[in-house]
Amino acid sequence: FMRVTVIGSGYVGLVTGACLSDLGFKVVCLDKDEDKVKMLQAGEVPIYEPGLKELLSRNHAEGRIRFTTDAQLAIDHGDILFIAVGTPAQEDGSADLAHVLSVASMVGRNLKDFKLIVNKSTVPVGTADRVRAAVKHELTQRGMSSEMFDVVSNPEFLKEGAAIDDFMRPDRIVVGIDDGIHHEKSQRMMGDLYASFNRHHSRTVWMDVRSAELTKYAANAMLATRISFMNEIANLADALGADVDQIRRGIGADNRIGYSFLYAGCGYGGSCFPKDTQALVNTAQAHGQLMSVVGATEQVNERQKTLLVDRLVKRLGDDLTGRKIAVWGLAFKPNTDDMREAPSRVVIKSLLERGAHVTAYDPVAGHEAMMALKLDCVGQETLLNNFTLVAHDMDALHGVDALMVLTEWKNFHNPDFQAMKLSMRTPYILDGRNLYNPDALADLGIAYQGVGRRNELINLSVEPVMLETSVLNA
């Protein structure tokens, strides 16, 4: 009976620990943050992910998962040690491996018998070699055998907002194991760990470690490229009077292409696509290679984040002083409170710098959004005097000159348009996620601009009106 230790209780670590404990494994989650560990022990969860709190609470109550700051206890417990700590982007775009290598050294200092070390964090090619070297160094310092462990790669493929389902119903499980004295043992242990998912047909894709490390980056870069490609098609569709939604249906019907990740919008964000595309480009450059397509994907995405502001400015003028703009949706995607690289951050700061007052609503990410915007406005704190966070979606609309929809939360899909029109000073919607039917809104007399949706504006009459500046509503 194998036991599992997960080092790092962030997004990947908590989902991994919760799901493995739900499969019956005894799991210990190790984190150096005492406050986070106390929160988890008390049944609270530091991140929002549908179903995660309930899953952790049930398995904690049944004794299958526990949380600690005690490194020795955690290392002694697990036969398999998952490294699931953050790898944030550095200024040059490369992945910061300080946390990963720190964990490797900590493991080496506490190792007493054989352990299988599994890199779950998203890491550049060659990281397993560096982890192996760090552990060996500590073992040598202790006068112990440097052969009492193995390092394998098992990258995660979890979508925020659907992570538990992705883990429990995987389309594939990538495991990278190199040849060596422990190859058969490591493969057997990883096979046993994921046996529940392979009972009906094999979902595990076995490969060498470096291929597994690169597979994670390649997958995210491919998906990001599809999004940026569709955004470029959408912008061209606007210029030509075509409809990107019809185009999406037309090309998605080709089974070589499919429908996934073909939705145009105001840009992608989150913890994976921006960071991983940058890291991939940086890795290529370090090895004398040029990733032209991935580089262009990043450039298109950065431009796309300013699209709605550019359209608003075209209609209302560059000086938005006295204008009141509503924003629906702050998180980078629905079913998460993650604000990392969210398009809303670029949009809101740009509006505030132009003098607009912004009223914003998000059903989950309000607190995280305030923290992110405070970081974005360091040195420009007075900008936040014109930002108001509201508790209900309709509260954001009173007297506004425009509404920007930036996240496709389900409760935004079918709003009361008549009530919205009565509340807004100017019935003007800039739909960054293409949620609404342009023809239906035209019939209601609401001006509408989507992304690639034949953006003729009707019934849009705007006059400059000076509004009182509100104070920050934190």
Side-chain angles (χ1 to χ4, degrees):
F1 180 82
M2 288 192 305
R3 296 175 181 269
V4 175
T5 291
V6 180
I7 305 170
S9 57
Y11 184 84
V12 173
L14 285 179
V15 171
T16 299
C19 291
L20 289 176
S21 67
D22 207 49
L23 293 174
F25 292 102
K26 295 285 188 178
V27 177
V28 167
C29 288
L30 171 67
D31 201 286
K32 64 181 181 181
D33 187 332
E34 293 185 4
D35 291 337
K36 184 185 290 187
V37 168
K38 288 177 182 177
M39 177 187 295
L40 290 164
Q41 290 171 339
E44 297 300 317
V45 180
I47 58 174
Y48 178 83
E49 175 65 33
L52 180 58
K53 182 176 181 179
E54 294 77 11
L55 197 64
L56 285 170
S57 295
R58 183 174 73 250
N59 284 286
H60 186 245
E62 295 174 3
R64 286 190 295 271
I65 190 169
R66 52 197 172 118
F67 312 96
T68 185
T69 59
D70 187 333
Q72 188 65 69
L73 180 153
I75 302 305
D76 288 347
H77 168 86
D79 302 296
I80 295 179
L81 312 178
F82 279 98
I83 299 179
V85 294
T87 54
Q90 301 187 96
E91 287 187 12
D92 64 357
S94 62
D96 185 348
L97 296 179
H99 299 304
V100 171
L101 297 178
S102 175
V103 167
S105 296
M106 179 268 292
V107 170
R109 289 193 298 272
N110 291 278
L111 214 56
K112 296 177 181 176
D113 51 19
F114 181 85
K115 304 291 181 181
L116 180 58
I117 302 170
V118 182
N119 269 344
K120 198 71 174 171
S121 301
T122 300
V123 293
V125 175
T127 299
D129 295 335
R130 298 182 65 181
V131 168
R132 188 176 288 107
V135 176
K136 281 188 175 182
H137 174 76
E138 295 295 336
L139 290 172
T140 301
Q141 293 290 101
R142 295 169 58 200
M144 301 185 68
S145 169
S146 62
E147 303 297 339
M148 56 193 297
F149 72 98
D150 197 9
V151 180
V152 306
S153 175
N154 175 216
E156 55 86 13
F157 298 97
L158 306 176
K159 297 188 298 292
E160 292 190 46
I164 292 172
D165 192 59
D166 283 347
F167 194 102
M168 301 301 269
R169 296 177 177 82
D171 49 13
R172 84 289 204 194
I173 301 166
V174 172
V175 180
I177 304 177
D178 285 337
D179 291 334
I181 61 173
H182 298 303
H183 182 275
E184 289 186 8
K185 182 176 184 177
S186 297
Q187 184 165 354
R188 183 178 67 253
M189 291 176 71
M190 293 302 290
D192 290 345
L193 181 74
Y194 290 126
S196 298
F197 304 126
N198 292 306
R199 294 195 187 281
H200 299 296
H201 63 88
S202 179
R203 290 179 169 84
T204 302
V205 183
W206 302 97
M207 58 185 72
D208 63 272
V209 168
R210 284 181 169 245
S211 295
E213 291 171 334
L214 186 53
T215 294
K216 168 64 176 180
Y217 282 108
N220 280 351
M222 171 66 80
L223 296 174
T225 299
R226 284 171 67 97
I227 295 171
S228 283
F229 174 79
M230 285 307 292
N231 282 336
E232 285 207 302
I233 293 295
N235 295 342
L236 180 60
D238 277 333
L240 299 176
D243 188 331
V244 75
D245 191 55
Q246 296 179 31
I247 297 166
R248 177 186 65 82
R249 296 171 191 272
I251 65 176
D254 186 330
N255 59 20
R256 296 170 300 175
I257 298 173
Y259 293 103
S260 296
F261 287 82
L262 290 187
Y263 290 91
C266 55
Y268 60 75
S271 62
C272 294
F273 288 1
K275 175 174 69 71
D276 292 353
T277 52
Q278 291 170 14
L280 187 57
V281 169
N282 182 273
T283 297
Q285 290 174 342
H287 291 80
Q289 300 293 312
L290 184 63
M291 301 290 288
S292 301
V293 173
V294 181
T297 293
E298 290 186 275
Q299 294 168 13
V300 170
N301 191 59
E302 289 307 303
R303 289 199 304 269
Q304 202 71 11
K305 290 181 180 182
T306 67
L307 177 70
L308 298 190
V309 175
D310 293 342
R311 289 181 174 173
L312 183 75
V313 165
K314 184 176 179 181
R315 298 295 167 179
L316 303 184
D318 191 62
D319 184 0
L320 297 177
T321 302
R323 298 291 185 186
K324 189 176 181 183
I325 310 299
V327 170
W328 276 4
L330 298 168
F332 87 94
K333 65 180 289 188
N335 295 321
T336 181
D337 61 354
D338 197 338
M339 289 295 299
R340 286 174 287 186
E341 303 291 336
S344 64
R345 297 173 65 169
V346 175
V347 169
I348 290 171
K349 186 177 182 186
S350 182
L351 294 173
L352 295 175
E353 287 176 335
R354 286 173 165 82
H357 181 96
V358 178
T359 53
Y361 169 75
D362 188 286
V364 168
H367 174 75
E368 293 298 323
M370 284 304 312
M371 298 301 102
L373 289 171
K374 286 176 181 177
L375 287 175
D376 294 342
C377 293
V378 169
Q380 298 175 281
E381 286 81 4
T382 56
L383 290 178
L384 292 174
N385 293 335
N386 277 342
F387 179 78
T388 303
L389 191 64
V390 299
H392 302 284
D393 51 7
M394 292 298 292
D395 292 345
L397 301 183
H398 180 67
V400 301
D401 294 281
L403 164 65
M404 291 183 171
V405 181
L406 303 183
T407 313
E408 61 271 33
W409 286 96
K410 286 284 175 55
N411 53 308
F412 297 158
H413 284 215
N414 296 285
D416 185 338
F417 289 111
Q418 290 287 9
M420 292 169 63
K421 184 178 177 182
L422 291 173
S423 184
M424 300 171 71
R425 190 175 75 87
T426 305
Y428 177 23
I429 298 176
L430 296 110
D431 182 359
R433 298 301 174 188
N434 286 345
L435 298 184
Y436 307 131
N437 185 318
D439 296 330
L441 293 186
D443 291 343
L444 291 171
I446 296 176
Y448 175 86
Q449 287 185 302
V451 182
R453 301 301 307 279
R454 292 183 180 145
N455 284 306
E456 304 96 342
L457 284 173
I458 64 153
N459 301 322
L460 180 59
S461 175
V462 291
E463 299 293 338
V465 172
M466 297 303 294
L467 301 175
E468 293 183 3
T469 300
S470 297
V471 295
L472 170 63
N473 180 0

